[in-house]
Amino acid sequence: VGLGDWSNATNWNNRVPVDTADWDVATIANGGTAILSTVQSGFNEAQVGNNGVAGNLIITNGGNLTINDWLVVSRNDANGNTPLSTLTVSGNGVLNKGGAGFLLGDSANCKGQMFVKNNGYVHITGGWNGVGNGTGEGWLYLQDNAVYTLDGQDWNIGDYGSAARGHCYIKDNATLNCSRFFVGKNDNAVGALWISGGAVVGTGANANEWTIGGDASGSVNAFGFVNLSAGTLTCPYNFQCGRYGKGVLY
């Protein structure tokens, strides 16, 4: 896709992505930015930055995107080392995500970030959310009146791997609704969460575990840090700081 309108077929190599009952993939990896401001029907997979080439996507002003399976911001593929790539949900934009993983900063030194701002809304109904994976690094920013909801699996800031780094910033009136919450989850992953406003709320049918620093017994070097300077953090479930690794709640 070239710089500009997602809905313009001339910006794609083949056509605007649609569900053809095959495995349909949208890849934005030319260093440009695609802007979605209409309703896009669901398809299987989206890659925002891939295989060593950055890409950017903005969902805004009536934009509504549904991804049925994988969504990766800065994907590794064969070459890895994908530069910083950005997904933004702004205005009254909506992102619906089902199926498998939603990754920001894939392995192999990829760097991905996401901004949800204004009245942007993200709804993850399937799969886990990993911010910083393997040897990758990821950033998530929730601000203004943004709402970010995970109904099912894990919300991971610093998910797994030898050098994963994950960062998240929540401020203003933004709301994070999540089922399972991990900061600095596994292996040598490092995760940091700064809450300076808004709300983090435990919710969902699968909710049973919130951990800062090491979710598995082999994760003694995992490190999680949470700074709560304003706003609220409400966990009605099991909450452990430094479970198997190292955790700080400040």
Side-chain angles (χ1 to χ4, degrees), residues 56-116:
N56 306 288
L57 170 61
I58 299 172
I59 304 170
T60 190
N61 296 331
N64 189 313
L65 176 64
T66 297
I67 302 297
N68 296 328
D69 214 285
W70 284 97
L71 172 56
V72 183
V73 181
S74 193
R75 185 173 179 269
N76 57 9
D77 209 340
N79 292 325
N81 298 295
T82 302
L84 185 64
S85 301
T86 304
L87 169 59
T88 301
V89 182
S90 63
N92 60 350
V94 176
L95 171 65
N96 299 294
K97 166 69 180 67
F102 178 8
L103 309 182
L104 304 179
D106 202 356
S107 59
N109 302 307
C110 299
K111 300 183 185 301
Q113 64 181 355
M114 181 178 187
F115 295 86
V116 187

Side-chain angles (χ1 to χ4, degrees), residues 199-233:
V200 177
V201 181
T203 185
N206 294 326
N208 56 13
E209 194 70 65
W210 286 33
T211 298
I212 303 171
D215 180 54
S217 59
S219 300
V220 295
N221 292 319
F223 178 73
F225 172 84
V226 176
N227 177 263
L228 178 61
S229 61
T232 60
L233 188 153

Side-chain angles (χ1 to χ4, degrees), residues 1 4-12 16-17 34-40:
V1 66
D5 185 4
W6 172 292
S7 303
N8 185 341
T10 63
N11 286 329
W12 297 92
V16 176
I35 301 172
L36 176 64
S37 55
T38 60
V39 176
Q40 168 66 55

